[in-house]
Amino acid sequence: MNHPRRGKLPGWLAELCDGFAAVLFPAPCRLCGELLARAALLPLCDACLESFLPLPAKVCEVCGLPLEALAAAEGESLLCSACREDFFNFERARSYAVYDGALVRAVILLKYQQLAPLGKWFAARLAEVAGRNGEFLAADVVVPVPLHRERQRQRGYNQAELIAGPLARHLRLPCRSVLLVRTRPRPDKLHLTLEERWSSVRGAFAARPGSQVDNRRVLLVDDVMTTGATLDACAKALLDAGAKSVVCLTVARATSHTQPPRIAEVAR
Ligand SMILES: [Zn+2]
Ligand SMILES: [Zn+2]
């Protein structure tokens, strides 16, 4: 997976190589180191995959924040305090699981080691989430949250695209990473305060000129939602360019707005 020439192989060939490698050499789970019982393209053991904690059913109807403690009155919608103030530009956000434990490390594997089979596995989980929430199935186009071109050049790929591509195939929608660009890079500082997170993404995204998002319902995809600042800034750029609506799916969700896991701050 870390082979230096790996980035140059076409996706199908890289996957084929992984497949052969998995058959020939018993691979250890990339999260816990246990030897995998069978050859698999996805080098994670069942115990690690089963340790991910899917989000509870009771979440804020708009932003998807778990609201265990809050109970809505009869007939009232369940909203967090931010969404009661109509805070976000996106219409809905949902995630697969809580950003904690082994999932934090799995997201890092995807982000820094281009583990495409894991992107596919996450996409399958997000397709299930979309299946339970009709508004996601009504989208016209899937767009991954973009990296700044410099960051993408250094890394060689965009981890959100590793999820968005296979998710779009599940939902039979086009995936169009070209529709949105990051025009201002993330500050180099490793850890950002809550304030810095919001100010660093405000106005940092733009729909491409001659936009093809006009009057379309966009499904925005990313790996992690912490404060929602990035998704919100992307949604604003898409709506400014004429998108009809924006809904968001992320693999992981930090469940506290005030204390996102610090690891989440690492280099988007
Ligand atoms: Zn494991
Ligand atoms: Zn909310």
Side-chain angles (χ1 to χ4, degrees), residues 55-68 70 77-85 88 90-95 133 135 225 253 257:
L55 283 157
K58 217 158 116 186
V59 293
C60 168
E61 278 177 23
V62 173
C63 75
L65 184 74
L67 292 175
E68 299 285 15
L70 277 187
S77 47
L78 196 62
L79 295 173
C80 75
S81 54
C83 294
R84 249 179 263 133
E85 311 265 310
F88 293 112
F90 50 77
E91 198 173 281
R92 287 275 181 284
R94 290 291 184 275
S95 308
N133 295 273
E135 54 274 62
M225 176 173 177
R253 175 70 193 249
H257 274 193

PDB file of all heavy atoms in Angstrom, residues 55-68 70 77-85 88 90-95 133 135 225 253 257:
ATOM      1  N   LEU A  55     -24.206   5.717  14.382  1.00  0.00           N
ATOM      2  CA  LEU A  55     -24.903   6.776  15.114  1.00  0.00           C
ATOM      3  C   LEU A  55     -26.283   6.294  15.538  1.00  0.00           C
ATOM      4  O   LEU A  55     -26.898   5.484  14.844  1.00  0.00           O
ATOM      5  CB  LEU A  55     -25.004   8.023  14.241  1.00  0.00           C
ATOM      6  CG  LEU A  55     -23.677   8.771  14.182  1.00  0.00           C
ATOM      7  CD1 LEU A  55     -23.580   9.645  12.954  1.00  0.00           C
ATOM      8  CD2 LEU A  55     -23.473   9.603  15.445  1.00  0.00           C
ATOM      9  N   PRO A  56     -26.772   6.779  16.678  1.00  0.00           N
ATOM     10  CA  PRO A  56     -28.105   6.355  17.138  1.00  0.00           C
ATOM     11  C   PRO A  56     -29.197   6.901  16.218  1.00  0.00           C
ATOM     12  O   PRO A  56     -28.941   7.785  15.401  1.00  0.00           O
ATOM     13  CB  PRO A  56     -28.210   6.998  18.525  1.00  0.00           C
ATOM     14  CG  PRO A  56     -27.269   8.144  18.499  1.00  0.00           C
ATOM     15  CD  PRO A  56     -26.156   7.757  17.567  1.00  0.00           C
ATOM     16  N   ALA A  57     -30.389   6.366  16.359  1.00  0.00           N
ATOM     17  CA  ALA A  57     -31.497   6.793  15.509  1.00  0.00           C
ATOM     18  C   ALA A  57     -31.913   8.228  15.832  1.00  0.00           C
ATOM     19  O   ALA A  57     -32.380   8.966  14.968  1.00  0.00           O
ATOM     20  CB  ALA A  57     -32.676   5.842  15.681  1.00  0.00           C
ATOM     21  N   LYS A  58     -31.726   8.603  17.117  1.00  0.00           N
ATOM     22  CA  LYS A  58     -32.206   9.923  17.536  1.00  0.00           C
ATOM     23  C   LYS A  58     -31.127  10.984  17.306  1.00  0.00           C
ATOM     24  O   LYS A  58     -30.192  11.112  18.099  1.00  0.00           O
ATOM     25  CB  LYS A  58     -32.562   9.853  19.021  1.00  0.00           C
ATOM     26  CG  LYS A  58     -33.767  10.679  19.371  1.00  0.00           C
ATOM     27  CD  LYS A  58     -34.391  10.185  20.645  1.00  0.00           C
ATOM     28  CE  LYS A  58     -34.322  11.206  21.741  1.00  0.00           C
ATOM     29  NZ  LYS A  58     -34.805  10.702  23.017  1.00  0.00           N
ATOM     30  N   VAL A  59     -31.253  11.710  16.199  1.00  0.00           N
ATOM     31  CA  VAL A  59     -30.287  12.766  15.886  1.00  0.00           C
ATOM     32  C   VAL A  59     -31.043  14.023  15.480  1.00  0.00           C
ATOM     33  O   VAL A  59     -32.228  13.963  15.143  1.00  0.00           O
ATOM     34  CB  VAL A  59     -29.350  12.350  14.717  1.00  0.00           C
ATOM     35  CG1 VAL A  59     -28.445  11.189  15.120  1.00  0.00           C
ATOM     36  CG2 VAL A  59     -30.131  12.034  13.458  1.00  0.00           C
ATOM     37  N   CYS A  60     -30.339  15.148  15.523  1.00  0.00           N
ATOM     38  CA  CYS A  60     -30.924  16.410  15.049  1.00  0.00           C
ATOM     39  C   CYS A  60     -31.368  16.206  13.594  1.00  0.00           C
ATOM     40  O   CYS A  60     -30.608  15.695  12.781  1.00  0.00           O
ATOM     41  CB  CYS A  60     -29.893  17.526  15.146  1.00  0.00           C
ATOM     42  SG  CYS A  60     -30.402  19.032  14.281  1.00  0.00           S
ATOM     43  N   GLU A  61     -32.587  16.598  13.293  1.00  0.00           N
ATOM     44  CA  GLU A  61     -33.134  16.320  11.955  1.00  0.00           C
ATOM     45  C   GLU A  61     -32.344  17.004  10.849  1.00  0.00           C
ATOM     46  O   GLU A  61     -32.318  16.530   9.721  1.00  0.00           O
ATOM     47  CB  GLU A  61     -34.595  16.767  11.885  1.00  0.00           C
ATOM     48  CG  GLU A  61     -35.508  15.727  12.475  1.00  0.00           C
ATOM     49  CD  GLU A  61     -36.962  16.152  12.502  1.00  0.00           C
ATOM     50  OE1 GLU A  61     -37.351  17.026  11.700  1.00  0.00           O
ATOM     51  OE2 GLU A  61     -37.689  15.617  13.342  1.00  0.00           O
ATOM     52  N   VAL A  62     -31.712  18.130  11.163  1.00  0.00           N
ATOM     53  CA  VAL A  62     -30.961  18.848  10.131  1.00  0.00           C
ATOM     54  C   VAL A  62     -29.507  18.383  10.079  1.00  0.00           C
ATOM     55  O   VAL A  62     -29.054  17.847   9.082  1.00  0.00           O
ATOM     56  CB  VAL A  62     -31.036  20.378  10.349  1.00  0.00           C
ATOM     57  CG1 VAL A  62     -30.113  21.104   9.365  1.00  0.00           C
ATOM     58  CG2 VAL A  62     -32.467  20.859  10.191  1.00  0.00           C
ATOM     59  N   CYS A  63     -28.764  18.567  11.176  1.00  0.00           N
ATOM     60  CA  CYS A  63     -27.313  18.346  11.089  1.00  0.00           C
ATOM     61  C   CYS A  63     -26.881  16.948  11.524  1.00  0.00           C
ATOM     62  O   CYS A  63     -25.707  16.605  11.400  1.00  0.00           O
ATOM     63  CB  CYS A  63     -26.566  19.399  11.901  1.00  0.00           C
ATOM     64  SG  CYS A  63     -26.654  19.138  13.680  1.00  0.00           S
ATOM     65  N   GLY A  64     -27.809  16.128  12.035  1.00  0.00           N
ATOM     66  CA  GLY A  64     -27.479  14.745  12.361  1.00  0.00           C
ATOM     67  C   GLY A  64     -26.743  14.543  13.670  1.00  0.00           C
ATOM     68  O   GLY A  64     -26.274  13.448  13.965  1.00  0.00           O
ATOM     69  N   LEU A  65     -26.620  15.605  14.466  1.00  0.00           N
ATOM     70  CA  LEU A  65     -25.937  15.483  15.765  1.00  0.00           C
ATOM     71  C   LEU A  65     -26.758  14.585  16.696  1.00  0.00           C
ATOM     72  O   LEU A  65     -27.965  14.779  16.835  1.00  0.00           O
ATOM     73  CB  LEU A  65     -25.802  16.878  16.391  1.00  0.00           C
ATOM     74  CG  LEU A  65     -25.026  16.955  17.705  1.00  0.00           C
ATOM     75  CD1 LEU A  65     -23.539  16.785  17.432  1.00  0.00           C
ATOM     76  CD2 LEU A  65     -25.274  18.292  18.396  1.00  0.00           C
ATOM     77  N   PRO A  66     -26.118  13.586  17.330  1.00  0.00           N
ATOM     78  CA  PRO A  66     -26.882  12.740  18.261  1.00  0.00           C
ATOM     79  C   PRO A  66     -27.451  13.572  19.405  1.00  0.00           C
ATOM     80  O   PRO A  66     -26.770  14.426  19.947  1.00  0.00           O
ATOM     81  CB  PRO A  66     -25.835  11.751  18.781  1.00  0.00           C
ATOM     82  CG  PRO A  66     -24.732  11.791  17.797  1.00  0.00           C
ATOM     83  CD  PRO A  66     -24.724  13.175  17.224  1.00  0.00           C
ATOM     84  N   LEU A  67     -28.702  13.328  19.708  1.00  0.00           N
ATOM     85  CA  LEU A  67     -29.363  14.140  20.736  1.00  0.00           C
ATOM     86  C   LEU A  67     -29.981  13.236  21.791  1.00  0.00           C
ATOM     87  O   LEU A  67     -31.165  13.330  22.077  1.00  0.00           O
ATOM     88  CB  LEU A  67     -30.466  15.000  20.094  1.00  0.00           C
ATOM     89  CG  LEU A  67     -29.995  16.101  19.158  1.00  0.00           C
ATOM     90  CD1 LEU A  67     -31.179  16.785  18.496  1.00  0.00           C
ATOM     91  CD2 LEU A  67     -29.170  17.124  19.906  1.00  0.00           C
ATOM     92  N   GLU A  68     -29.165  12.356  22.340  1.00  0.00           N
ATOM     93  CA  GLU A  68     -29.654  11.401  23.334  1.00  0.00           C
ATOM     94  C   GLU A  68     -30.464  12.076  24.438  1.00  0.00           C
ATOM     95  O   GLU A  68     -31.506  11.609  24.842  1.00  0.00           O
ATOM     96  CB  GLU A  68     -28.463  10.665  23.982  1.00  0.00           C
ATOM     97  CG  GLU A  68     -27.617   9.870  23.021  1.00  0.00           C
ATOM     98  CD  GLU A  68     -28.283   8.584  22.571  1.00  0.00           C
ATOM     99  OE1 GLU A  68     -29.485   8.456  22.775  1.00  0.00           O
ATOM    100  OE2 GLU A  68     -27.566   7.744  21.992  1.00  0.00           O
ATOM    101  N   LEU A  70     -31.934  15.016  24.526  1.00  0.00           N
ATOM    102  CA  LEU A  70     -33.071  15.878  24.210  1.00  0.00           C
ATOM    103  C   LEU A  70     -34.285  15.073  23.765  1.00  0.00           C
ATOM    104  O   LEU A  70     -34.158  14.127  23.008  1.00  0.00           O
ATOM    105  CB  LEU A  70     -32.712  16.822  23.064  1.00  0.00           C
ATOM    106  CG  LEU A  70     -31.943  18.090  23.422  1.00  0.00           C
ATOM    107  CD1 LEU A  70     -31.830  18.959  22.185  1.00  0.00           C
ATOM    108  CD2 LEU A  70     -32.631  18.858  24.536  1.00  0.00           C
ATOM    109  N   SER A  77     -40.290  18.846  15.706  1.00  0.00           N
ATOM    110  CA  SER A  77     -39.108  18.205  15.133  1.00  0.00           C
ATOM    111  C   SER A  77     -37.942  18.300  16.118  1.00  0.00           C
ATOM    112  O   SER A  77     -37.868  19.210  16.935  1.00  0.00           O
ATOM    113  CB  SER A  77     -38.753  18.827  13.786  1.00  0.00           C
ATOM    114  OG  SER A  77     -38.775  20.213  13.873  1.00  0.00           O
ATOM    115  N   LEU A  78     -37.066  17.311  15.994  1.00  0.00           N
ATOM    116  CA  LEU A  78     -35.937  17.210  16.913  1.00  0.00           C
ATOM    117  C   LEU A  78     -34.771  18.010  16.329  1.00  0.00           C
ATOM    118  O   LEU A  78     -34.220  17.641  15.298  1.00  0.00           O
ATOM    119  CB  LEU A  78     -35.568  15.731  17.052  1.00  0.00           C
ATOM    120  CG  LEU A  78     -34.683  15.331  18.215  1.00  0.00           C
ATOM    121  CD1 LEU A  78     -35.342  15.637  19.545  1.00  0.00           C
ATOM    122  CD2 LEU A  78     -34.368  13.842  18.138  1.00  0.00           C
ATOM    123  N   LEU A  79     -34.445  19.117  16.966  1.00  0.00           N
ATOM    124  CA  LEU A  79     -33.390  19.980  16.442  1.00  0.00           C
ATOM    125  C   LEU A  79     -32.391  20.336  17.542  1.00  0.00           C
ATOM    126  O   LEU A  79     -32.783  20.553  18.687  1.00  0.00           O
ATOM    127  CB  LEU A  79     -33.985  21.287  15.898  1.00  0.00           C
ATOM    128  CG  LEU A  79     -34.900  21.192  14.683  1.00  0.00           C
ATOM    129  CD1 LEU A  79     -35.529  22.547  14.378  1.00  0.00           C
ATOM    130  CD2 LEU A  79     -34.145  20.679  13.465  1.00  0.00           C
ATOM    131  N   CYS A  80     -31.104  20.413  17.170  1.00  0.00           N
ATOM    132  CA  CYS A  80     -30.094  20.871  18.134  1.00  0.00           C
ATOM    133  C   CYS A  80     -30.198  22.395  18.230  1.00  0.00           C
ATOM    134  O   CYS A  80     -30.897  23.033  17.444  1.00  0.00           O
ATOM    135  CB  CYS A  80     -28.700  20.434  17.691  1.00  0.00           C
ATOM    136  SG  CYS A  80     -28.048  21.393  16.319  1.00  0.00           S
ATOM    137  N   SER A  81     -29.478  22.985  19.169  1.00  0.00           N
ATOM    138  CA  SER A  81     -29.641  24.432  19.380  1.00  0.00           C
ATOM    139  C   SER A  81     -29.203  25.223  18.149  1.00  0.00           C
ATOM    140  O   SER A  81     -29.838  26.215  17.785  1.00  0.00           O
ATOM    141  CB  SER A  81     -28.875  24.869  20.631  1.00  0.00           C
ATOM    142  OG  SER A  81     -27.529  24.451  20.516  1.00  0.00           O
ATOM    143  N   ALA A  82     -28.128  24.782  17.462  1.00  0.00           N
ATOM    144  CA  ALA A  82     -27.670  25.506  16.266  1.00  0.00           C
ATOM    145  C   ALA A  82     -28.742  25.466  15.176  1.00  0.00           C
ATOM    146  O   ALA A  82     -29.040  26.485  14.546  1.00  0.00           O
ATOM    147  CB  ALA A  82     -26.378  24.901  15.745  1.00  0.00           C
ATOM    148  N   CYS A  83     -29.333  24.316  14.966  1.00  0.00           N
ATOM    149  CA  CYS A  83     -30.301  24.173  13.870  1.00  0.00           C
ATOM    150  C   CYS A  83     -31.629  24.848  14.185  1.00  0.00           C
ATOM    151  O   CYS A  83     -32.367  25.221  13.271  1.00  0.00           O
ATOM    152  CB  CYS A  83     -30.472  22.702  13.511  1.00  0.00           C
ATOM    153  SG  CYS A  83     -28.953  22.029  12.811  1.00  0.00           S
ATOM    154  N   ARG A  84     -31.901  25.030  15.469  1.00  0.00           N
ATOM    155  CA  ARG A  84     -33.098  25.800  15.817  1.00  0.00           C
ATOM    156  C   ARG A  84     -32.948  27.248  15.337  1.00  0.00           C
ATOM    157  O   ARG A  84     -33.902  27.936  15.067  1.00  0.00           O
ATOM    158  CB  ARG A  84     -33.351  25.749  17.328  1.00  0.00           C
ATOM    159  CG  ARG A  84     -34.602  24.940  17.645  1.00  0.00           C
ATOM    160  CD  ARG A  84     -34.862  24.853  19.127  1.00  0.00           C
ATOM    161  NE  ARG A  84     -34.334  23.605  19.648  1.00  0.00           N
ATOM    162  CZ  ARG A  84     -33.597  23.485  20.729  1.00  0.00           C
ATOM    163  NH1 ARG A  84     -33.288  24.557  21.451  1.00  0.00           N
ATOM    164  NH2 ARG A  84     -33.178  22.318  21.120  1.00  0.00           N
ATOM    165  N   GLU A  85     -31.690  27.690  15.236  1.00  0.00           N
ATOM    166  CA  GLU A  85     -31.409  29.050  14.756  1.00  0.00           C
ATOM    167  C   GLU A  85     -31.171  29.052  13.239  1.00  0.00           C
ATOM    168  O   GLU A  85     -30.692  30.047  12.705  1.00  0.00           O
ATOM    169  CB  GLU A  85     -30.142  29.582  15.436  1.00  0.00           C
ATOM    170  CG  GLU A  85     -30.114  29.416  16.935  1.00  0.00           C
ATOM    171  CD  GLU A  85     -30.585  30.653  17.651  1.00  0.00           C
ATOM    172  OE1 GLU A  85     -30.073  31.730  17.309  1.00  0.00           O
ATOM    173  OE2 GLU A  85     -31.465  30.544  18.518  1.00  0.00           O
ATOM    174  N   PHE A  88     -27.033  26.290   9.627  1.00  0.00           N
ATOM    175  CA  PHE A  88     -26.237  25.742   8.514  1.00  0.00           C
ATOM    176  C   PHE A  88     -26.850  26.041   7.142  1.00  0.00           C
ATOM    177  O   PHE A  88     -28.060  26.173   7.005  1.00  0.00           O
ATOM    178  CB  PHE A  88     -26.113  24.218   8.660  1.00  0.00           C
ATOM    179  CG  PHE A  88     -25.300  23.786   9.851  1.00  0.00           C
ATOM    180  CD1 PHE A  88     -25.902  23.136  10.926  1.00  0.00           C
ATOM    181  CD2 PHE A  88     -23.932  24.027   9.901  1.00  0.00           C
ATOM    182  CE1 PHE A  88     -25.156  22.725  12.033  1.00  0.00           C
ATOM    183  CE2 PHE A  88     -23.172  23.624  10.992  1.00  0.00           C
ATOM    184  CZ  PHE A  88     -23.786  22.976  12.062  1.00  0.00           C
ATOM    185  N   PHE A  90     -26.432  23.888   4.589  1.00  0.00           N
ATOM    186  CA  PHE A  90     -26.906  22.638   3.998  1.00  0.00           C
ATOM    187  C   PHE A  90     -28.266  22.270   4.582  1.00  0.00           C
ATOM    188  O   PHE A  90     -28.649  22.735   5.658  1.00  0.00           O
ATOM    189  CB  PHE A  90     -25.896  21.501   4.189  1.00  0.00           C
ATOM    190  CG  PHE A  90     -25.399  21.320   5.608  1.00  0.00           C
ATOM    191  CD1 PHE A  90     -26.188  20.711   6.560  1.00  0.00           C
ATOM    192  CD2 PHE A  90     -24.130  21.772   5.972  1.00  0.00           C
ATOM    193  CE1 PHE A  90     -25.727  20.537   7.854  1.00  0.00           C
ATOM    194  CE2 PHE A  90     -23.662  21.613   7.280  1.00  0.00           C
ATOM    195  CZ  PHE A  90     -24.468  21.001   8.223  1.00  0.00           C
ATOM    196  N   GLU A  91     -28.977  21.428   3.825  1.00  0.00           N
ATOM    197  CA  GLU A  91     -30.343  21.080   4.228  1.00  0.00           C
ATOM    198  C   GLU A  91     -30.349  19.935   5.244  1.00  0.00           C
ATOM    199  O   GLU A  91     -31.155  19.906   6.168  1.00  0.00           O
ATOM    200  CB  GLU A  91     -31.091  20.661   2.958  1.00  0.00           C
ATOM    201  CG  GLU A  91     -32.582  20.667   3.060  1.00  0.00           C
ATOM    202  CD  GLU A  91     -33.180  20.401   1.686  1.00  0.00           C
ATOM    203  OE1 GLU A  91     -33.231  21.340   0.868  1.00  0.00           O
ATOM    204  OE2 GLU A  91     -33.568  19.238   1.429  1.00  0.00           O
ATOM    205  N   ARG A  92     -29.439  18.982   5.046  1.00  0.00           N
ATOM    206  CA  ARG A  92     -29.353  17.797   5.907  1.00  0.00           C
ATOM    207  C   ARG A  92     -27.918  17.331   5.963  1.00  0.00           C
ATOM    208  O   ARG A  92     -27.196  17.438   4.972  1.00  0.00           O
ATOM    209  CB  ARG A  92     -30.128  16.622   5.297  1.00  0.00           C
ATOM    210  CG  ARG A  92     -31.619  16.709   5.340  1.00  0.00           C
ATOM    211  CD  ARG A  92     -32.168  16.199   6.671  1.00  0.00           C
ATOM    212  NE  ARG A  92     -33.614  16.255   6.709  1.00  0.00           N
ATOM    213  CZ  ARG A  92     -34.317  17.365   6.884  1.00  0.00           C
ATOM    214  NH1 ARG A  92     -33.715  18.518   7.011  1.00  0.00           N
ATOM    215  NH2 ARG A  92     -35.632  17.325   6.929  1.00  0.00           N
ATOM    216  N   ALA A  93     -27.513  16.749   7.091  1.00  0.00           N
ATOM    217  CA  ALA A  93     -26.228  16.048   7.154  1.00  0.00           C
ATOM    218  C   ALA A  93     -26.432  14.777   7.965  1.00  0.00           C
ATOM    219  O   ALA A  93     -27.098  14.800   9.005  1.00  0.00           O
ATOM    220  CB  ALA A  93     -25.162  16.924   7.795  1.00  0.00           C
ATOM    221  N   ARG A  94     -25.885  13.690   7.465  1.00  0.00           N
ATOM    222  CA  ARG A  94     -25.943  12.432   8.197  1.00  0.00           C
ATOM    223  C   ARG A  94     -24.587  11.750   8.079  1.00  0.00           C
ATOM    224  O   ARG A  94     -23.831  11.998   7.139  1.00  0.00           O
ATOM    225  CB  ARG A  94     -27.009  11.491   7.616  1.00  0.00           C
ATOM    226  CG  ARG A  94     -28.445  11.949   7.850  1.00  0.00           C
ATOM    227  CD  ARG A  94     -28.838  11.869   9.322  1.00  0.00           C
ATOM    228  NE  ARG A  94     -30.221  12.221   9.533  1.00  0.00           N
ATOM    229  CZ  ARG A  94     -30.675  13.460   9.689  1.00  0.00           C
ATOM    230  NH1 ARG A  94     -29.841  14.486   9.623  1.00  0.00           N
ATOM    231  NH2 ARG A  94     -31.952  13.692   9.891  1.00  0.00           N
ATOM    232  N   SER A  95     -24.289  10.881   9.051  1.00  0.00           N
ATOM    233  CA  SER A  95     -23.014  10.172   9.041  1.00  0.00           C
ATOM    234  C   SER A  95     -23.254   8.711   9.354  1.00  0.00           C
ATOM    235  O   SER A  95     -24.303   8.345   9.895  1.00  0.00           O
ATOM    236  CB  SER A  95     -22.076  10.772  10.090  1.00  0.00           C
ATOM    237  OG  SER A  95     -21.994  12.164   9.928  1.00  0.00           O
ATOM    238  N   ASN A 133     -32.795   7.619   4.488  1.00  0.00           N
ATOM    239  CA  ASN A 133     -33.138   9.040   4.477  1.00  0.00           C
ATOM    240  C   ASN A 133     -33.416   9.468   3.032  1.00  0.00           C
ATOM    241  O   ASN A 133     -32.500   9.754   2.264  1.00  0.00           O
ATOM    242  CB  ASN A 133     -31.976   9.876   5.033  1.00  0.00           C
ATOM    243  CG  ASN A 133     -31.714   9.588   6.509  1.00  0.00           C
ATOM    244  OD1 ASN A 133     -32.308  10.189   7.383  1.00  0.00           O
ATOM    245  ND2 ASN A 133     -30.829   8.632   6.771  1.00  0.00           N
ATOM    246  N   GLU A 135     -34.244  12.020   1.333  1.00  0.00           N
ATOM    247  CA  GLU A 135     -33.749  13.222   0.648  1.00  0.00           C
ATOM    248  C   GLU A 135     -32.387  13.006  -0.002  1.00  0.00           C
ATOM    249  O   GLU A 135     -32.021  13.695  -0.933  1.00  0.00           O
ATOM    250  CB  GLU A 135     -33.730  14.445   1.568  1.00  0.00           C
ATOM    251  CG  GLU A 135     -32.989  14.310   2.881  1.00  0.00           C
ATOM    252  CD  GLU A 135     -33.852  13.710   3.994  1.00  0.00           C
ATOM    253  OE1 GLU A 135     -34.295  12.548   3.839  1.00  0.00           O
ATOM    254  OE2 GLU A 135     -34.053  14.381   5.010  1.00  0.00           O
ATOM    255  N   MET A 225     -17.152  14.804   9.804  1.00  0.00           N
ATOM    256  CA  MET A 225     -17.800  16.069  10.147  1.00  0.00           C
ATOM    257  C   MET A 225     -17.490  16.345  11.607  1.00  0.00           C
ATOM    258  O   MET A 225     -17.813  15.536  12.469  1.00  0.00           O
ATOM    259  CB  MET A 225     -19.308  15.967   9.941  1.00  0.00           C
ATOM    260  CG  MET A 225     -20.058  17.215  10.374  1.00  0.00           C
ATOM    261  SD  MET A 225     -21.805  17.092   9.904  1.00  0.00           S
ATOM    262  CE  MET A 225     -22.452  18.603  10.602  1.00  0.00           C
ATOM    263  N   ARG A 253     -18.679  11.132  12.498  1.00  0.00           N
ATOM    264  CA  ARG A 253     -19.235  12.351  13.068  1.00  0.00           C
ATOM    265  C   ARG A 253     -18.688  12.537  14.477  1.00  0.00           C
ATOM    266  O   ARG A 253     -18.837  11.670  15.347  1.00  0.00           O
ATOM    267  CB  ARG A 253     -20.768  12.215  13.132  1.00  0.00           C
ATOM    268  CG  ARG A 253     -21.503  13.354  13.811  1.00  0.00           C
ATOM    269  CD  ARG A 253     -21.434  14.586  12.939  1.00  0.00           C
ATOM    270  NE  ARG A 253     -21.837  15.769  13.656  1.00  0.00           N
ATOM    271  CZ  ARG A 253     -22.948  16.459  13.425  1.00  0.00           C
ATOM    272  NH1 ARG A 253     -23.775  16.048  12.496  1.00  0.00           N
ATOM    273  NH2 ARG A 253     -23.213  17.541  14.113  1.00  0.00           N
ATOM    274  N   HIS A 257     -19.544  19.311  19.736  1.00  0.00           N
ATOM    275  CA  HIS A 257     -19.143  20.489  18.964  1.00  0.00           C
ATOM    276  C   HIS A 257     -17.979  21.208  19.619  1.00  0.00           C
ATOM    277  O   HIS A 257     -17.194  21.859  18.975  1.00  0.00           O
ATOM    278  CB  HIS A 257     -20.316  21.460  18.839  1.00  0.00           C
ATOM    279  CG  HIS A 257     -21.193  21.136  17.679  1.00  0.00           C
ATOM    280  ND1 HIS A 257     -22.145  21.964  17.190  1.00  0.00           N
ATOM    281  CD2 HIS A 257     -21.229  20.039  16.907  1.00  0.00           C
ATOM    282  CE1 HIS A 257     -22.749  21.404  16.163  1.00  0.00           C
ATOM    283  NE2 HIS A 257     -22.213  20.229  15.977  1.00  0.00           N
TER     284      HIS A 257
END
